[in-house]
Amino acid sequence: MKHWLRGKPAGLFGFVAIAALVAGGLGWATAAALRLEGEQLAQRDEAERAGPLRVALWRLDSRISPLLAREDSRPFNHYSAVYPAPLALNNKGACLSSGSVLEPSPLLSADLPPWMLLHFQTDQSAGWESPQVLSPRLDRLLRDIRAKLTLSNVTPQRQRLLAELTRELPVADLLRQAGEHTQPATVRDTTMLLASNALDNNSNPGGQSGAYQQNLDQPSQTAQVANPNSANQMPQEYGTRRGQQTRLFNEGKAPQRVQKDLALNSIVANGANWFGPRVPAHAAGAEVLVNLSPMVPVWLETPGGAEHLVLLRQVHIEEATICQGIVLDAAALREMLAAEVIDLFPEAKLLPMREAVPSQPERTMTALPFQLDPGPSAAVRDPGWTPLRFGLALAWVAALIALGAVGLGGWSLLNLSERRIRFVSAVTHELRTPLTTLRLYLDMLVNGMVRDDRQRGEYIHTLYTETDRLNRLVANVLDFSRLENQRPRLNRAAVPVADLLEQVRSTWAGRCQDAEKELIIENTLPADASLWTDRELVQQVLGNLIDNACKYSRGAEDRRLWIRACGDGRRFVFEIEDRGPGVPVNDRRLIFLAFRRGRGADETAGGVGLGLALARRWAQLLGGRLDLHSGGEGRGACFRLEVPSARP
């Protein structure tokens, strides 16, 4: 097997890959399940809200439709500030000449909803105008009207809006968009235009001559009241001809076809051209046919990117095309309409609908291009812990637990494998050293190569020391194996602390002397103090700590090694302190693990990394704990063993 496939990096990479596959698959399944659940909840909510939606749309259309129908039926002449009455009589019953009587537009003072911002009409040649925005000349001419009629709709706000539209939207663009959205003309109306007496009757289907209009319009100054005595001068055939004219109009035939002599600027001038003295003496009013298309709501876009909601209709007069409409306040409309259905849908909103064919017709108003968004329902917004979500949560918890168990198990196996590899290597090295020494010294002694008695005694002492070292190594390995496989039984008894310390002194004094250490025992406990514990296990713990101190403080200048005994009556504390190099902070937890040693331990002393691990495990079996602290004077290490003093 290749090297990169072994060890922790390969194991970590494999675990991350497996975890990514599991998390990715489970995440995709979770997302798909939640999406399907959301769609089902939305469909169920849509079905439940279908009835309230119909009621809400009925309310909205009922609120707006009568007002829009009134505007759709508004005559063509209302979009001029003043316009001539087609037929007027004085108080003597005499018929006044056409164009001599003018009427103000109802739009000057009509009670309009606040969301109707401006009525306007446009012509390709004259541009934008509004009956609610008066020119200075027309304002002076209507000065007398202000005393009798309040022009409540003539406001600076409408004047500014008209100027803004004039600046932002060319008439050609308006007419183009109106042609794209409006429908063919369905309503016919009439209006009076300025015209000379030379009228074109070539296409009059009724056979009526121009003399009818000439006889009907008495020669008088326009916009002046006719002579009351003129009633006796009216032609007797006036009634007959007027009836014929009305019949022809009702049959859809123009009462008079006027072409060249029409003064269309009388429309776009907001009616100001009907006032003398600019009206020629030979001019008269000509009644012409007007074709009106239905008024439709349109989202009007300007070249600058602005957008206005308007009602538009196209007007055809002879060969001229005029656009009439109303600018609406979309924001005010949305707020007002949302308030209409707040009892049904508290979070309802009206969204602009710009598509020709609505994507959701069941939510779209018929009167205005708005789509009702009822807002998310409580079930869709916060469905809570549904069975599906509870199952998905359990699946995620199970997957995470499984991944965690696999990861921890794999990591533990890798750690164990590496520790055992290091253990085998260390044990092999530790066994080879004493065995080599034993074999060498025994060969020299057996073959009689050592003849000096003093030297022979040193060799025998060395053999004893190496044998003892080998015995401790094998004992540690066997003890660790027993701890791994089973929990040993303790032989607890009352142990005097003084006897315990004396036995430790006698056992380890020689080892300390060989390591050139001075063993100092300090006992601050009463002379009769005793503890309830396993004597042999406590001695093994203290012995491992003393042996560890002898090995790792070998090069210290201060050769002293302390064993201190103290306590508070409930727990006894044994401290083993040296003046060696101590243990780095980062290694203080590491050295208590099996087969693990601190950095630089191989150069300082031998070993397999079992002594401290066994000591901590034994301390836990005794019901105590083993910790590491810094030595006195900021040097060395101090191992602190705490054991209970009384019988549990």
Side-chain angles (χ1 to χ4, degrees):
M1 186 179 293
K2 294 184 179 180
H3 176 71
W4 62 273
L5 292 176
R6 295 177 293 179
K8 289 184 178 179
L12 181 61
F13 176 78
F15 174 74
V16 170
I18 294 173
L21 289 175
V22 172
L26 191 57
W28 178 84
T30 301
L34 291 178
R35 184 174 63 253
L36 290 176
E37 183 190 41
E39 292 176 357
Q40 292 177 355
L41 290 175
Q43 292 176 359
R44 185 176 64 186
D45 179 69
E46 193 72 24
E48 292 176 353
R49 296 200 291 182
L53 273 174
R54 287 192 294 269
V55 174
L57 289 175
W58 174 81
R59 286 188 190 177
L60 298 180
D61 288 326
S62 299
R63 179 71 172 81
I64 295 296
S65 295
L67 300 175
L68 299 186
R70 183 188 67 182
E71 296 300 323
D72 187 46
S73 62
R74 192 174 292 279
F76 166 78
N77 288 332
H78 286 190
Y79 283 81
S80 294
V82 291
Y83 55 88
L87 179 64
L89 302 175
N90 62 13
N91 57 1
K92 302 297 184 179
C95 180
L96 303 180
S97 61
S98 60
S100 61
V101 177
L102 304 181
E103 295 183 20
S105 172
L107 294 176
L108 292 170
S109 57
D111 185 14
L112 299 175
W115 43 268
M116 286 189 182
L117 300 180
L118 179 72
H119 289 69
F120 66 89
Q121 66 178 357
T122 59
D123 175 71
Q124 182 65 49
S125 59
W128 292 76
E129 72 173 18
S130 170
Q132 298 154 347
V133 179
L134 305 179
S135 64
R137 176 172 177 264
L138 192 57
D139 186 61
R140 290 194 303 270
L141 292 172
L142 298 180
R143 186 175 302 166
D144 294 339
I145 296 181
R146 291 182 180 273
K148 300 179 180 180
L149 180 65
T150 302
L151 306 183
S152 57
N153 294 331
V154 180
T155 61
Q157 292 82 3
R158 287 184 168 88
Q159 185 177 4
R160 286 194 295 268
L161 180 57
L162 182 65
E164 179 183 347
L165 292 172
T166 304
R167 182 174 60 255
E168 292 184 355
L169 186 62
V171 175
D173 289 349
L174 174 65
L175 294 177
R176 175 182 56 80
Q177 296 188 51
E180 293 174 354
H181 294 91
T182 55
Q183 301 174 3
T186 57
V187 177
R188 294 188 176 185
D189 195 5
T190 59
T191 188
M192 299 291 294
L193 299 182
L194 281 173
S196 66
N197 291 333
L199 303 178
D200 183 5
N201 302 301
N202 295 332
S203 60
N204 189 346
Q208 300 298 323
S209 65
Y212 167 73
Q213 183 67 31
Q214 294 175 5
N215 292 333
L216 185 63
D217 299 335
Q218 299 296 327
S220 61
Q221 187 70 14
T222 304
Q224 293 180 359
V225 180
N227 187 349
N229 297 327
S230 60
N232 299 327
Q233 302 173 5
M234 289 178 59
Q236 297 179 359
E237 65 272 16
Y238 168 76
T240 303
R241 293 184 179 180
R242 188 65 180 177
Q244 292 176 350
Q245 190 75 359
T246 302
R247 178 177 55 81
L248 291 175
F249 174 75
N250 292 335
E251 292 177 357
K253 301 174 182 178
Q256 192 74 39
R257 183 170 180 82
V258 185
Q259 293 179 349
K260 294 183 297 180
D261 297 318
L262 285 178
L264 290 177
N265 59 351
S266 64
I267 300 172
V268 296
N270 225 0
N273 288 355
W274 286 98
F275 290 92
R278 297 187 180 184
V279 180
H282 63 278
E287 191 174 10
V288 296
L289 188 65
V290 177
N291 294 316
L292 306 173
S293 68
M295 191 164 278
V296 295
V298 176
W299 287 102
L300 199 63
E301 296 183 1
T302 65
E307 192 175 46
H308 300 278
L309 178 60
V310 297
L311 299 174
L312 293 179
R313 70 180 179 187
Q314 278 190 322
V315 181
H316 298 282
I317 305 177
E318 293 294 326
E319 298 178 357
T321 300
I322 296 174
C323 180
Q324 292 181 340
I326 309 170
V327 181
L328 306 181
D329 188 345
L333 270 173
R334 292 166 63 179
E335 183 178 353
M336 180 195 70
L337 294 175
E340 289 289 324
V341 295
I342 194 171
D343 58 327
L344 296 175
F345 302 106
E347 299 182 18
K349 295 185 293 185
L350 275 297
L351 304 178
M353 199 280 295
R354 300 176 179 84
E355 298 83 3
V357 178
S359 57
Q360 293 180 304
E362 71 279 0
R363 294 188 177 188
T364 305
M365 294 180 60
T366 57
L368 290 175
F370 284 125
Q371 190 175 81
L372 176 61
D373 179 12
S377 66
V380 175
R381 182 174 57 245
D382 186 16
W385 283 99
T386 61
L388 175 63
R389 296 192 174 196
F390 187 75
L392 290 174
L394 289 180
W396 272 103
V397 170
L400 292 176
I401 292 176
L403 287 175
V406 170
L408 291 176
W411 194 258
S412 299
L413 288 176
L414 289 173
N415 273 336
L416 180 61
S417 176
E418 290 187 356
R419 289 200 306 269
R420 288 187 174 179
I421 291 173
R422 289 195 300 269
F423 166 72
V424 171
S425 176
V427 167
T428 302
H429 175 72
E430 290 296 318
L431 290 175
R432 183 182 292 115
T433 300
L435 287 175
T436 302
T437 303
L438 288 173
R439 183 175 181 179
L440 177 62
Y441 280 30
L442 287 174
D443 285 343
M444 294 175 66
L445 292 173
V446 170
N447 294 329
M449 298 177 64
V450 181
R451 300 181 183 274
D452 184 43
D453 293 339
R454 185 180 61 81
Q455 190 176 13
R456 186 183 294 111
E458 292 178 357
Y459 280 16
I460 293 174
H461 180 72
T462 301
L463 290 174
Y464 175 79
T465 303
E466 293 298 326
T467 304
D468 184 61
R469 175 183 174 188
L470 185 60
N471 180 64
R472 288 198 306 271
L473 175 61
V474 174
N476 283 342
V477 173
L478 293 176
D479 289 339
F480 183 78
S481 177
R482 283 195 296 269
L483 286 175
E484 287 289 317
N485 295 326
Q486 61 184 351
R487 183 182 180 91
R489 297 181 62 182
L490 301 179
N491 185 18
R492 297 180 184 271
V495 179
V497 176
D499 294 347
L500 178 65
L501 294 176
E502 185 60 32
Q503 189 171 359
V504 170
R505 179 200 294 272
S506 61
T507 303
W508 290 94
R511 170 78 175 102
C512 293
Q513 186 176 1
D514 293 339
E516 300 180 353
K517 295 293 181 181
E518 178 185 356
L519 184 60
I520 301 173
I521 296 180
E522 297 178 355
N523 184 8
T524 60
L525 295 172
D528 58 347
S530 62
L531 57 92
W532 185 266
T533 188
D534 189 319
R535 178 192 295 266
E536 297 297 331
L537 209 54
V538 172
Q539 288 182 356
Q540 284 183 305
V541 174
L542 295 177
N544 276 8
L545 296 177
I546 293 171
D547 182 65
N548 194 70
C550 291
K551 289 191 298 183
Y552 290 100
S553 64
R554 183 176 302 168
E557 295 180 359
D558 191 342
R559 299 293 179 175
R560 290 177 297 176
L561 193 152
W562 289 270
I563 300 179
R564 300 187 183 95
C566 59
D568 57 1
R570 294 185 300 106
R571 301 180 71 86
F572 288 161
V573 178
F574 297 93
E575 294 181 350
I576 290 83
E577 183 178 342
D578 61 65
R579 288 292 184 266
V583 181
V585 177
N586 295 335
D587 292 342
R588 290 187 177 183
R589 186 184 62 87
L590 185 68
I591 60 176
F592 288 102
L593 300 178
F595 313 119
R596 301 296 293 271
R597 306 173 68 196
R599 287 171 291 182
D602 293 334
E603 292 81 5
T604 305
V608 295
L610 284 178
L612 291 178
L614 283 171
R616 173 164 279 187
R617 295 283 294 274
W618 286 332
Q620 292 172 354
L621 286 174
L622 294 171
R625 54 183 297 179
L626 177 63
D627 296 319
L628 172 62
H629 302 273
S630 299
E633 301 177 1
R635 295 181 298 168
C638 178
F639 289 90
R640 183 183 180 94
L641 172 64
E642 294 184 11
V643 291
S645 60
R647 183 174 182 175

